[in-house]
Amino acid sequence: MREVASLLLTTGSTRAVRTGVWKYMRPVYVERQAPCTAACPLSNAIPRAMQAAVEGDADSALAIFLETNPIPGVTGRVCYRPCEDLCNRGKFDDPLSIRAVERWAADLGRADPPSPAPATGRRVAVVGSGPAGLGATYRLLLLGHRVSLFEKEPSPGGLLRFGIPPYRLPREVLDRELERILVLGPELFTSVEVGKDIPLQDLVREFDAVVLAPGLGRARRLGLPGEEHPSVRHGLPFLREAARGEGRAPGREVVVVGGGNVALDCARAALRLGAEGVRVVSLEGPDEMPAHPEELEEAAREGVRFLHRRGPVRFVVEEGELVGVEVLRCARVFDPEGRFAPELVPGTEELLAADGVVVAIGQEGAAGTLLEELHLSPVGEIPADNHGLTPVRGVFACGDAARSGGTVTAALAAGARTALAVHSYLTGEPLKEPAREKVGFSNIRLHRFSHAARLPQPHLAREDALEGFAEVNLGLPPALLKEEASRCFSCGLCSRCDICLLSCPEVAISRKGGGYEIDQDHCKGCGICVEECPRWAMAMVPVA
């Protein structure tokens, strides 16, 4: 009893409880961070959305995603799912199909974005309407700022519209998602290239802040003999033409040079445009390619062939016609310090017959003019930190052009972070980075769950997919969404499973308002409810 009294003095409690003086701790409900949310660049509240999906409530699920993500119908198709890689369920059987549930919510749900904060009267210019620019625009509007969005193309979307083929992202889906941002009221100026049609310095003078998100709009070239031949195409321009409906097959037998996602998109687009055979040639081995495994699997399913550890040395032209690509074996891609330094082996030449080539080895920035106007070096990316701060006061940058993108979701998140930095700059409010305790696999009470395999998503048959640019991944049927969402552990978030109520020996827990209430006068502080919570959504805290 003396030890308990000492603990009571330590906690500073003077509250009398009917259970006696031995109660020095009490249970409370808490919300901890799920690993999927921690892994998501946008910090989507995934367990809350999954709970809505279990109820079949697409409207509520969509509203939850819109708290952090302006275009869940896009990311529900093209995100590379870092959340699923860290899903605790994946250590039990299979990770949850989070992206499929996000797509379902966006396609079937009806919800508006969160209400914007009161108007600040501040004006911000955003240059570029790709994912980074859209992420910045959305968050700035919700923070109460006026936004003018400048896009050099005739329609907004940037990479989403002109770099991702419709078989992965249908244009009607993109237009629907963009409309949700536009109804918040940004001024949209299309066919206006900042730095060419309007000087950047004009924006710097006219607006309270400027966000640069021009992306990487120029295809990188190899600089090899024969590359200027008209039958040698380049990745982004080729995809842009295909997206506009102006594409044509690069040839009958096509070689695509590159190992990333853009290279695979080019290969799959070439098949749809009439190429009879397509081969992807990469410096990397099959397990080293930077392309996402899902994209590799789908390309192989459609008939794309692969030749690994080869590097091109020239494009062979005879009598004015392209006849093939000469390649050498690649001994290694990176040097011992990890720098990109391909080592091609002399004497290993082979000729790959082809009458069409697409070079897809990455993109370069096209922000040279903008950098010159800011009196910065016109070579390389826009210098900016993780919050988008550049050396120029009032000018921020995000996305691929500032090396804070890399994927659609990462670029969206970079835009959102930059918007918060802009808000701090305009209002003086400090940047806040809340941290929550993350739920580990060891915190899950596995005996409360049954094994259930991840549900596969149907795809168009190969012959149907190659007939055009119709969407290939058909998503989970709505009838199966509840079943898949119910596999979620709901890490760190009460799911109203009643286990705490049923395990309390004092019957001190009761249902109330869609949750639970603990009668602290009768709770003995034994902690059984906390110990039995399957998802670590309870904690013991000192009595106050």
Side-chain angles (χ1 to χ4, degrees), residues 235-430:
L236 278 184
F238 173 65
L239 291 177
R240 186 177 287 112
E241 290 175 10
R244 288 172 171 163
E246 304 166 354
R248 56 180 175 81
R252 185 175 56 83
E253 289 294 330
V254 177
V255 166
V256 177
V257 178
N261 295 312
V262 171
L264 298 190
D265 278 336
C266 291
R268 297 172 70 188
L271 285 174
R272 285 163 171 78
L273 291 170
E276 295 179 12
V278 178
R279 182 161 37 177
V280 171
V281 177
S282 67
L283 293 168
E284 302 87 0
D287 299 325
E288 303 165 325
M289 294 177 69
H292 192 271
E294 179 183 22
E295 299 301 318
L296 289 166
E297 180 182 336
E298 294 196 359
R301 183 188 298 124
E302 292 178 1
V304 174
R305 294 168 293 154
F306 295 89
L307 182 62
H308 299 290
R309 297 192 178 92
R310 302 291 195 282
V313 291
R314 69 184 179 110
F315 302 101
V316 182
V317 177
E318 295 179 357
E319 297 181 356
E321 298 294 327
L322 179 73
V323 297
V325 184
E326 185 177 298
V327 299
L328 295 176
R329 291 186 180 273
C330 182
R332 70 180 186 193
V333 181
F334 300 97
D335 67 15
E337 284 72 43
R339 293 170 298 202
F340 182 74
E343 182 180 313
L344 301 181
V345 181
T348 60
E349 295 86 354
E350 56 185 305
L351 179 65
L352 308 179
D355 58 351
V357 172
V358 180
V359 177
I361 57 169
Q363 292 74 245
E364 298 176 329
T369 302
L370 302 180
L371 291 168
E372 286 179 342
E373 285 200 57
L374 296 174
H375 305 291
L376 299 171
S377 170
V379 179
E381 67 268 15
I382 303 172
D385 68 9
N386 191 50
H387 294 287
L389 297 171
T390 75
V392 182
R393 180 174 174 80
V395 178
F396 300 77
C398 55
D400 287 344
R403 291 295 187 266
S404 59
T407 67
V408 169
T409 312
L412 280 167
R417 287 195 308 271
T418 299
L420 293 175
V422 171
H423 182 71
S424 176
Y425 167 74
L426 295 176
T427 65
E429 295 180 15

Side-chain angles (χ1 to χ4, degrees), residues 37-332:
T37 295
C40 174
L42 290 163
S43 299
N44 287 335
I46 294 168
R48 288 201 289 122
M50 294 305 116
Q51 289 187 7
V54 170
E55 301 298 324
D57 189 350
D59 295 348
S60 294
L62 175 58
I64 291 166
F65 283 119
L66 289 176
E67 292 173 6
T68 47
N69 181 5
I71 49 174
V74 172
T75 53
R77 287 170 164 82
V78 304
C79 179
Y80 289 123
R81 307 172 297 177
C83 54
E84 296 183 18
D85 292 339
L86 292 187
C87 175
N88 275 333
R89 183 89 201 197
K91 300 175 183 177
F92 185 63
D93 40 40
D94 297 316
L96 190 70
S97 293
I98 297 169
R99 189 180 70 183
V101 177
E102 183 178 30
R103 169 179 170 169
W104 164 81
D107 287 356
L108 298 184
R110 295 294 180 266
D112 294 323
S115 298
T120 65
R122 301 302 184 93
R123 301 176 63 224
V124 182
V126 177
V127 179
S129 68
L134 294 174
T137 296
Y138 186 69
R139 187 54 53 185
L140 287 165
L141 291 167
L142 294 182
L143 290 168
H145 304 294
R146 292 173 57 192
V147 177
S148 294
L149 181 58
F150 296 85
E151 169 56 52
K152 67 179 181 179
E153 298 286 352
S155 302
L159 171 75
L160 302 175
R161 186 176 299 279
F162 300 110
I164 300 179
Y167 61 79
R168 289 178 56 208
L169 178 58
R171 293 303 172 255
E172 60 271 18
V173 172
L174 175 60
D175 291 338
R176 180 195 70 204
E177 298 289 286
L178 291 177
E179 183 61 26
R180 191 182 292 119
I181 301 174
L182 296 178
V183 298
L184 292 173
E187 288 184 292
L188 175 62
F189 299 92
T190 57
S191 300
V192 176
E193 184 172 354
V194 175
K196 179 180 178 183
D197 301 314
I198 179 173
L200 174 59
Q201 290 297 344
D202 285 1
L203 301 186
V204 173
R205 283 190 295 267
E206 183 178 347
F207 291 85
D208 297 302
V210 176
V211 176
L212 302 178
L216 298 176
R218 188 168 58 211
R220 185 175 291 128
R221 294 175 175 264
L222 286 166
L224 295 177
E227 190 171 5
E228 300 307 317
H229 191 277
S231 293
V232 178
R233 315 281 293 282
H234 291 83
L236 278 184
F238 173 65
L239 291 177
R240 186 177 287 112
E241 290 175 10
R244 288 172 171 163
E246 304 166 354
R248 56 180 175 81
R252 185 175 56 83
E253 289 294 330
V254 177
V255 166
V256 177
V257 178
N261 295 312
V262 171
L264 298 190
D265 278 336
C266 291
R268 297 172 70 188
L271 285 174
R272 285 163 171 78
L273 291 170
E276 295 179 12
V278 178
R279 182 161 37 177
V280 171
V281 177
S282 67
L283 293 168
E284 302 87 0
D287 299 325
E288 303 165 325
M289 294 177 69
H292 192 271
E294 179 183 22
E295 299 301 318
L296 289 166
E297 180 182 336
E298 294 196 359
R301 183 188 298 124
E302 292 178 1
V304 174
R305 294 168 293 154
F306 295 89
L307 182 62
H308 299 290
R309 297 192 178 92
R310 302 291 195 282
V313 291
R314 69 184 179 110
F315 302 101
V316 182
V317 177
E318 295 179 357
E319 297 181 356
E321 298 294 327
L322 179 73
V323 297
V325 184
E326 185 177 298
V327 299
L328 295 176
R329 291 186 180 273
C330 182
R332 70 180 186 193

